Amino acid sequence: MKYNVNKKGYYGEFGGAYIPEMLYPNVEELRQKYLEVMYEDSFQKEFNQLLKDYVGRPSPLYFAKRLSEKYNTKVYLKREDLNHTGAHKVNNTIGQILMAKKLGKNRIIAETGAGQHGVATATVCALMGIKCIVYMGEIDIARQAPNVARMKMLGAEVRPALSGSRTLKDATNEAIRDWINNPVDTHYIIGSAIGPHPYPDMVTRFQSVISEEIKWQLKEKEGRENPDYVVACIGGGSNAAGTYYHFLENEEVGIIAVEAAGKGIDSGESAATSKLGSEGIIHGCKTLLMQTPDGQITEPYSISAGLDYPGVGPMHSHLYKSGRGEFYSVTDDEAMTAGLELSQLEGIIPAIETSHALAIFDHKKFKKDDIVVISLSGRGDKDLDTYIDYFKLK
Ligand SMILES: *Cc1c(COP(=O)(O)O)cnc(C)c1O
């Protein structure tokens, strides 16, 4: 396996578990047990049942006829926007809440920036009747009031992180501190394909249902399992990892990753990690991240909250470095235009994160017979105010 994780938790030179000594027992317990638990029959049965009846899977693989005509190629959209809670994130939180239960944990912690992962976590905690504490920077709490309200309505406690820049990384620090203090009863649900090993691999496996479904759905529609390209936007990289997973080792399938260039790669306001990043340690793993020459993490920027992250998961750093993946950086303006275009060509309003993936057509020309599958990671309801302001729709 050239592109998947190895036994030590590395994708090429990236990954591993760079954690404080005091966190070692928690992470080690998970590392020793996650694969065994995840592939038990009873786990698989419950996971698949919930994905079906609660999340609404399989999500459709939709042939986008008008979009295909416009770009003179065959475009399929994998409709993660139709999942319960409106995005792919719930695939992972369902998996992790079941993992927590099997490990005998009765308390869940999570950190969130924009609140999407917090909502997905609060949702599954309500589903299972498990106590949920979500750490969130004080600034983010003010900026993301609707998601804070959702979490509270779902019964979660939202604890403000008051230190530092009072945003995502400070919330992460608080969550880690909590986990160190509550090693026995608590599971920490990380929301993307990031974190110390085994998190990137565990999250990827839960999200890999996306590419598992693409294979049989495409076989039904086109008579072949493999598309020519799979395309996804990348924040930390979980929808992308799930979309690529079953195609990683199959090199005829092109892998395309789209990251947020914000106001432009060289504007000082971007999240274009592949272009601007260098190797370092973030969130417990070695990966590419945006940092100053002396190793301080740079404040990222993107119009989409979900892509506003200063690093990418270790799988993606390896896909980039090895050349297996093609990486593109899409600006706010390009993404917003692509989101409007999908709305008007297909009647689907995408999340702004997803709009970045849809802007691939500004950057790459596909052949007429190419089959291009794009991960439609989420729906745009949460972003309506941003679209309204941007396009002056009011
Ligand atoms: C959170 C989010 C993303 C980015 O997260 P990844 O882990 O990179 O997938 C992308 N799209 C949507 C709709 C999101 O909510």
Side-chain angles (χ1 to χ4, degrees), residues 86-89 116 191-193 233-240 306-307 351 353-354 377-379 382:
H88 66 289
K89 285 194 173 68
Q116 296 304 115
S192 190
C233 66
I234 295 214
S238 69
N239 90 91
L307 304 187
E353 291 84 0
T354 314
S377 57
R379 68 175 85 122
K382 69 181 177 64

Side-chain angles (χ1 to χ4, degrees), residues 2 52 100 129 196 200 215 229-231 244-245 287 312 338 393:
K2 265 163 82 178
K52 179 163 178 272
K215 272 185 169 280
Y229 295 94
V230 280
V231 182
Y244 306 158
Y245 187 78
T287 193
V312 294
L393 301 172

Side-chain angles (χ1 to χ4, degrees), residues 84-363:
H84 177 48
T85 68
H88 66 289
K89 285 194 173 68
V90 71
N91 303 325
N92 169 50
T93 54
I94 293 264
Q96 286 204 46
I97 198 82
L98 293 178
M99 178 66 61
K101 277 199 345 179
K102 294 276 184 190
L103 297 177
K105 312 288 176 180
N106 57 23
R107 182 175 175 272
I108 294 294
I109 55 171
E111 91 279 342
T112 196
Q116 296 304 115
H117 172 57
V119 171
T121 302
T123 299
V124 298
C125 288
L127 174 69
M128 296 296 170
I130 293 182
K131 185 175 167 59
C132 179
I133 294 155
V134 179
Y135 289 94
M136 192 167 184
E138 194 181 28
I139 303 267
D140 289 333
I141 289 179
R143 283 194 293 209
Q144 308 288 342
N147 277 339
V148 175
R150 281 187 190 102
M151 287 183 263
K152 288 183 176 167
M153 181 143 183
L154 291 160
E157 182 191 337
V158 180
R159 285 195 191 161
L162 305 170
S163 63
S165 59
R166 293 172 291 151
T167 57
L168 180 61
K169 78 173 161 39
D170 312 290
T172 305
N173 291 339
E174 292 295 330
I176 288 172
R177 196 164 303 147
D178 181 312
W179 207 20
I180 288 172
N181 290 328
N182 299 283
V184 178
D185 66 340
T186 298
H187 175 70
Y188 178 16
I189 299 191
I190 293 181
S192 190
I194 189 99
H197 178 66
Y199 278 99
D201 184 47
M202 180 170 68
V203 173
T204 297
R205 284 172 194 261
F206 289 139
Q207 293 291 0
S208 72
V209 64
I210 300 173
S211 48
E212 191 183 314
E213 289 174 4
I214 291 171
K215 272 185 169 280
W216 64 257
Q217 290 173 321
L218 202 61
K219 177 91 183 168
E220 256 175 36
K221 290 175 199 295
E222 293 282 345
R224 59 165 155 128
E225 286 191 337
N226 292 334
D228 296 287
Y229 295 94
V230 280
V231 182
C233 66
I234 295 214
S238 69
N239 90 91
T243 303
Y244 306 158
Y245 187 78
H246 289 283
F247 305 112
L248 282 174
E249 308 294 331
N250 195 331
E251 301 205 27
E252 328 68 274
V253 181
I255 286 178
I256 296 181
V258 183
E259 61 189 9
K263 295 185 177 164
I265 292 170
D266 300 316
S267 67
E269 291 182 79
S270 105
T273 307
S274 77
K275 305 292 182 302
L276 302 171
S278 54
E279 194 177 300
I281 296 193
I282 185 170
H283 217 140
C285 62
K286 189 197 283 182
T287 193
L288 293 176
L289 61 115
M290 296 181 355
Q291 54 189 330
T292 61
D294 55 351
Q296 293 297 313
I297 291 169
T298 314
E299 197 66 40
Y301 164 81
S302 163
I303 193 167
S304 85
L307 304 187
D308 191 355
Y309 186 73
V312 294
M315 172 195 280
H316 304 297
S317 294
H318 182 49
L319 291 174
Y320 177 72
K321 197 86 187 273
S322 64
R324 174 72 181 94
E326 286 175 60
F327 280 66
Y328 294 90
S329 311
V330 158
T331 63
D332 290 354
D333 291 337
E334 290 168 330
M336 295 303 274
T337 305
L340 185 67
E341 179 180 85
L342 188 76
S343 305
Q344 301 189 351
L345 280 177
E346 298 289 348
I348 300 169
I349 301 176
I352 300 175
E353 291 84 0
T354 314
S355 296
H356 285 74
L358 295 161
I360 186 63
F361 299 109
D362 294 338
H363 292 259

Side-chain angles (χ1 to χ4, degrees), residues 63-76 228-229 341 345-346 361 364-372:
F63 176 62
K65 184 160 176 287
R66 295 201 338 120
L67 190 64
S68 298
E69 278 166 5
K70 169 139 194 199
Y71 291 104
N72 202 25
T73 189
K74 283 171 118 169
V75 185
Y76 283 87
D228 296 287
Y229 295 94
E341 179 180 85
L345 280 177
E346 298 289 348
F361 299 109
K364 184 173 169 85
K365 184 148 174 36
F366 297 95
K367 295 204 280 289
K368 191 168 185 343
D369 293 332
D370 281 345
I371 295 176
V372 180

